[in-house]
Amino acid sequence: MQPQAWRYGYELCKATGLKSGTLYPTLARLSEQGLLESEWRQPLEQGRPPRHAYRLTTAGAQFALAQAQRQIRSPGTSKQVLA
């Protein structure tokens, strides 16, 4: 998976195993913190609604890398809370 590629929420739900009620508030929080950007995408098929797409910002990619490296150093601390 390319970290800074655009992804749809449904795709992220499938990839992470998170339910939409957990994922979408998390995406909103990450966006507010400047770690994620989002945009509305027009549908490829006529009659379908627009969809929200998300991708990591440069700061978000750096944060994710730092968190991954932290997990490698301290594997017993898997539950980190985003401020």
Side-chain angles (χ1 to χ4, degrees):
M1 197 180 246
Q2 296 173 317
Q4 289 181 281
W6 287 101
R7 305 277 182 227
Y8 293 113
Y10 179 76
E11 183 181 357
L12 294 170
C13 281
K14 290 293 200 185
T16 62
L18 294 173
K19 303 272 187 210
S20 61
T22 299
L23 180 69
Y24 289 105
T26 301
L27 294 174
R29 226 175 14 257
L30 291 171
S31 185
E32 289 170 5
Q33 294 173 358
L35 300 174
L36 192 70
E37 66 179 303
S38 64
E39 69 178 24
W40 285 101
R41 295 267 175 108
Q42 292 304 312
L44 298 175
E45 297 177 24
Q46 189 75 351
R48 304 282 301 181
R51 297 170 68 190
H52 231 142
Y54 305 89
R55 73 174 174 184
L56 290 173
T57 61
T58 299
Q62 291 169 347
F63 178 79
L65 179 60
Q67 292 299 307
Q69 290 171 340
R70 192 170 173 191
Q71 287 299 311
I72 290 168
R73 289 192 303 270
S74 305
T77 58
S78 63
K79 293 198 175 195
Q80 300 291 330
V81 177
L82 293 174

